[in-house]
Amino acid sequence: MSWPPLFPLPIDPATAILLIPAIGVLLLVGLPSYKLGSRFNVLFAFATFLSSLYLLVERPPLGRYLFVDDLNIVFIVLGGFVAVTTSVFSASYIGHELETGRLTPTNQRFYHAMYQALIFSMNLALLANNIGLMWVAIELATMTTVLMVGMYRTHAALEAAWKYFILGSVGIALALFGTILVYMAAQPVLGEGYDSMVWTTLVAKAHELSPDLLNVAFVFLMLGYGTKVGLAPLHAWLPDAHAEGPTPISAVLSGLLLNVALYAVLRFKMLLSANPNAIAPGPLMVVLGLVSLIFAAFMLYRRRDIKRMFAYSSIEHMGIITFAFGMGGPLANFAGLLHMTMHSLTKSAIFFAVGHIAQVKGTQRLAEIRGLTESHPALGWGLVIGVVAIAGMPPLGIFMSEFLVVSSTFARQPLLAVPLVFGLMVGFGALMLRLTQVAFGEPSGGMAPVEASYVPLYSHLALVVGAGIYLPGPLVAWFQNVARLLG
Amino acid sequence: MERFLLDVAHLLAGGLVLTSFMLLYQTRMSSLLAVFALQAVVLTLSVAWQAHVQNAPHLYITAGIALVLKAIIIPYALSRVVRSLGIHRSIETVGGIGPTMLAGMGCVALSMVVMLKATATANPLAREDLAFALSVVLLGLLMMVTRRNAVSQIVGFMSIENGLILAAAGAKGMPLVVEISVAFSVLVAFIVIGVFLFRIRERFDSVELQALDDFRGERR
């Protein structure tokens, strides 16, 4: 799908979405003022998002290092949008943290620069046409988020950053071993050098590659990048990183970074599917997805910290998405893509609400947050809509995608649908139980009004509610096309 | 001549696995760091040999980075950390040395079985390098699991990295090897600087259950 260019651009949009955040890093690291810093942060994120929209209109030619196809555009545009709204949310969030003295002005300079560095590395990972470059970009994204998770310098934050760092590095190391094995498989066919690491040539020649090496490689890649997706049993870093870092980072982690890691897994899955003699990558993904779903659903009951609870909910949903892509086929892939989009929007909206809640109430403990809809109606009802959506109630967007996952599973593997539905039900119960405690009843804790814009929160919620009622035709056609591509 | 080139590569890669085993049974911090430096030297030789055999001069850069950074600077920096933070000089292990060594042998056997079977058609030089590299990676993982203190976890992570560099150097003509080894060095430098700046002393010293409870956010 492509339209004729509207007007010529001085540089092609793929370069722009890398260049803009890169300039942002250099500029923001030197800006001492918080007001200017946060505004420029929003501005750069917005400019990146606009350039990514331009990718829909005009695609740069296939390069040796960068390429754009129907699959990665979905991730880039979604990521660009969440990055903009999160930067708006983070402007008010960080302002509050500076007032209360939890962050120093030096911290905020560093924070904004890292935010742009994260956008840069995620876009690089998504655009990379080279498996080595993609690996380097994902490593860079891990580094920037580690630094932001540890930013409060409290004991708990440093512990969380350390744990994230160690587990993330092990994951990244395993992924590199898998990448080397893919190169080894490609080298006899494609020759030495760059061609053997380029996506487009790898996929074109996938049927000639050694299936044994690809099998071993996929196990390493699945475990390595799966660690970054947060799949159980490799998820241990995820709840800590979400709970102890600044809340905008929790929103970006759940809404963007997990998707980028999943994108890497999907690419390698496509490579294996194109080789008739290699193992089917689906069953491994189905098993990891189901384990994550059921494990996280039960863990939701025991949480005492509100951010940690929604972090487990992210594990649950990444499990569902991995499961859907593992099932494969046009319908399940479509459901997986839709679920990924809806989850990104909903979960980041929930973290926006949670960030404001934690600031006005002065606590993240679930037991100390009560009656939000009475004390802060706009915030409380925002959280209610978000949690109802994430739990999968009709008619919101996530209900639709979960329904598609379940029905496509019933049609093909009815037995697998049983644990899937069981996990969904368990998770649903836990979220509803906590929601009634937090949102209704006698208000407790701080009553100060929220001095922040609700635009990011409600724009996400509006999209999720809207998608549940009506999905625009072109979007459906696009997703169906990508779903076919994924095989 | 062909045979000789192969044998030396084999010897050096085997030496790397041997030093990984040596890392597993060290109980004192200073000797752990010394063995790690030795492993880095063996890695340097091995990568340099690959550079010679494959006639790939860029691999000499990777070898140089390994020598300067991992055999000299990092062991020195870590031993300063150990001294200045007053970390216990002995290393706590989970399980005994004996079972760990047995598990290590299992890891090596596993990687031989998996890799030699999967790479039956590949070039013999790369093939054995890859099998040894996987052994080093698995032994490094084993070390990270069985050690509780952070410095030895860092050493475990760096030995995983050594295995990966060996694999990347063995994959003939692989592009980006130098870039990847630089990226990894940045990563390791981050850890060491992080340790210096943050001084997470508690992490290095003890694993009290209380601290772990706090850490899980289950504090009351």
Side-chain angles (χ1 to χ4, degrees):
Chain A
M1 248 198 267
S2 81
W3 293 279
L6 299 178
F7 52 91
L9 223 62
I11 49 170
D12 72 273
T15 318
I17 64 172
L18 296 177
L19 205 60
I20 296 169
I23 298 170
V25 176
L26 296 179
L27 184 81
L28 287 169
V29 81
L31 266 186
S33 147
Y34 148 72
K35 275 217 157 66
L36 268 181
S38 60
R39 275 177 199 160
F40 269 108
N41 194 32
V42 176
L43 189 73
F44 278 110
F46 192 63
T48 313
F49 175 54
L50 282 186
S51 327
S52 74
L53 283 182
Y54 202 80
L55 280 177
L56 293 169
V57 184
E58 186 196 320
R59 257 182 229 182
L62 184 72
R64 288 185 75 176
Y65 293 96
L66 304 181
F67 83 129
V68 178
D69 70 353
D70 286 346
L71 175 62
N72 62 11
I73 280 194
V74 176
F75 285 80
I76 291 169
V77 172
L78 176 67
F81 178 72
V82 176
V84 175
T85 46
T86 308
S87 68
V88 175
F89 162 67
S90 111
S92 61
Y93 181 90
I94 296 296
H96 186 276
E97 299 295 273
L98 283 171
E99 273 171 34
T100 51
R102 283 187 80 190
L103 288 179
T104 64
T106 327
N107 282 155
Q108 74 79 20
R109 226 166 68 189
F110 176 73
Y111 167 86
H112 285 130
M114 282 298 126
Y115 192 89
Q116 292 297 327
L118 180 62
I119 296 180
F120 168 80
S121 51
M122 286 193 296
N123 282 339
L124 183 63
L126 293 174
L127 282 171
N129 190 15
N130 180 305
I131 51 177
L133 189 63
M134 185 171 82
W135 179 86
V136 172
I138 292 183
E139 192 214 304
L140 191 65
T142 311
M143 286 302 93
T144 52
T145 37
V146 164
L147 290 173
M148 290 199 277
V149 165
M151 209 171 64
Y152 285 134
R153 297 282 185 280
T154 59
H155 182 68
L158 290 177
E159 286 277 12
W162 178 259
K163 194 171 178 181
Y164 177 25
F165 182 76
I166 288 294
L167 279 168
S169 308
V170 170
I172 226 77
L174 293 179
L176 177 61
F177 197 75
T179 307
I180 296 171
L181 289 179
V182 172
Y183 170 79
M184 289 288 293
Q187 188 228 31
V189 180
L190 293 163
E192 291 169 19
Y194 278 96
D195 279 352
S196 298
M197 292 186 99
V198 173
W199 266 123
T200 35
T201 53
L202 277 174
V203 173
K205 296 270 180 180
H207 55 280
E208 291 176 34
L209 308 187
S210 147
D212 290 334
L213 266 176
L214 281 185
N215 293 346
V216 181
F218 186 72
V219 172
F220 279 98
L221 290 162
M222 186 70 219
L223 291 178
Y225 288 128
T227 309
K228 309 238 59 210
V229 180
L231 296 176
L234 308 157
H235 66 283
W237 62 273
L238 196 144
D240 297 298
H242 277 67
E244 305 303 341
T247 312
I249 298 315
S250 319
V252 178
L253 275 176
S254 266
L256 303 181
L257 196 60
L258 304 186
N259 290 353
V260 173
L262 187 71
Y263 167 82
V265 173
L266 286 181
R267 282 280 174 202
F268 286 106
K269 178 183 178 258
M270 285 165 78
L271 190 63
L272 255 80
S273 320
N275 186 318
N277 297 320
I279 46 161
L284 185 60
M285 293 174 73
V286 164
V287 170
L288 281 175
L290 275 182
V291 169
S292 312
L293 165 65
I294 292 172
F295 169 80
F298 276 106
M299 293 302 276
L300 281 172
Y301 283 91
R302 286 196 55 227
R303 302 281 69 83
R304 296 197 179 87
D305 180 305
I306 189 164
K307 279 166 84 177
R308 207 169 281 264
M309 182 171 89
F310 289 115
Y312 274 101
S313 153
S314 290
I315 300 176
E316 185 199 343
H317 285 278
M318 290 323 278
I320 299 171
I321 299 165
T322 311
F323 174 85
F325 285 128
M327 288 299 292
L331 189 59
N333 282 337
F334 179 84
L337 275 176
L338 188 65
H339 196 79
M340 186 195 78
T341 313
M342 291 299 129
H343 172 251
S344 286
L345 293 172
T346 318
K347 188 53 65 63
S348 39
I350 289 179
F351 275 116
F352 299 159
V354 167
H356 292 314
I357 291 166
Q359 285 184 335
V360 289
K361 298 288 183 193
T363 177
Q364 288 178 202
R365 292 193 50 181
L366 278 164
E368 289 169 14
I369 306 171
R370 287 266 177 275
L372 269 173
T373 46
E374 292 219 356
S375 60
H376 302 85
L379 194 58
W381 285 108
L383 184 74
V384 171
I385 299 172
V387 176
V388 165
I390 207 84
M393 286 266 259
L396 296 126
I398 288 194
F399 167 74
M400 197 165 63
S401 51
E402 279 180 356
F403 180 77
L404 281 173
V405 177
V406 172
S407 58
S408 69
T409 313
F410 256 120
R412 290 166 51 204
Q413 301 277 346
L415 274 181
L416 281 178
V418 176
L420 176 69
V421 173
F422 173 71
L424 287 174
M425 287 298 151
V426 172
F428 180 86
L431 285 168
M432 285 301 136
L433 189 72
R434 291 284 176 243
L435 179 67
T436 46
Q437 290 169 1
V438 169
F440 306 109
E442 200 67 19
S444 70
M447 302 292 276
V450 182
E451 293 160 15
S453 143
Y454 288 118
V455 173
L457 172 61
Y458 278 97
S459 61
H460 279 207
L461 292 178
L463 282 175
V464 174
V465 174
I469 298 163
Y470 169 69
L471 271 183
L475 186 74
V476 175
W478 189 288
F479 276 16
Q480 277 171 343
N481 183 28
V482 177
R484 261 195 303 278
L485 205 75
L486 282 167
Chain B
M1 191 59 193
E2 185 70 16
R3 186 75 217 164
F4 172 71
L5 294 177
L6 190 67
D7 282 346
V8 173
H10 202 150
L11 175 74
L12 289 170
L16 210 62
V17 178
L18 202 66
T19 49
S20 275
F21 269 110
M22 285 168 71
L23 284 174
L24 278 181
Y25 64 74
Q26 301 306 320
T27 51
R28 294 181 62 79
M29 201 62 87
S30 52
S31 53
L32 182 76
L33 291 173
V35 173
F36 175 73
L38 175 68
Q39 187 179 47
V41 172
V42 177
L43 177 75
T44 308
L45 290 175
S46 184
V47 173
W49 188 255
Q50 290 285 354
H52 170 69
V53 173
Q54 298 177 19
N55 205 3
H58 65 275
L59 285 182
Y60 286 116
I61 303 176
T62 308
I65 294 173
L67 184 67
V68 174
L69 201 71
K70 286 198 228 146
I72 301 168
I73 297 179
I74 287 180
Y76 174 73
L78 281 179
S79 60
R80 276 202 54 190
V81 170
V82 170
R83 248 178 292 137
S84 68
L85 294 186
I87 295 167
H88 285 220
R89 299 294 165 85
S90 58
I91 302 170
E92 278 180 80
T93 55
V94 183
I97 298 285
T100 311
M101 295 297 277
L102 283 177
M105 283 179 218
C107 289
V108 175
L110 180 75
S111 58
M112 292 297 158
V113 171
V114 171
M115 290 318 300
L116 293 182
K117 186 170 165 293
T119 55
T121 53
N123 157 8
L125 192 66
R127 197 176 163 213
E128 283 169 0
D129 249 18
L130 219 53
F132 282 129
L134 182 59
S135 311
V136 174
V137 170
L138 292 181
L139 289 173
L141 277 175
L142 184 65
M143 181 164 167
M144 286 184 79
V145 174
T146 55
R147 297 306 161 86
R148 283 182 167 164
N149 109 344
V151 172
S152 39
Q153 283 185 346
I154 295 174
V155 172
F157 174 67
M158 287 191 296
S159 76
I160 293 179
E161 188 202 332
N162 288 347
L164 291 170
I165 302 279
L166 179 72
K172 197 155 181 274
M174 180 162 156
L176 295 171
V177 174
V178 180
E179 288 82 349
I180 284 170
S181 65
V182 170
F184 254 132
S185 311
V186 172
L187 207 100
V188 171
F190 252 122
I191 316 184
V192 178
I193 293 167
V195 169
F196 260 124
L197 290 183
F198 300 155
R199 316 227 158 192
I200 340 172
R201 187 196 302 228
E202 292 87 335
R203 173 78 201 175
F204 296 95
D205 233 5
S206 72
V207 275
E208 285 170 47
L209 283 174
Q210 183 60 47
L212 278 178
D213 271 351
D214 276 357
F215 177 30
R216 291 222 185 100
E218 304 293 338
R219 68 213 115 165
R220 275 147 274 255

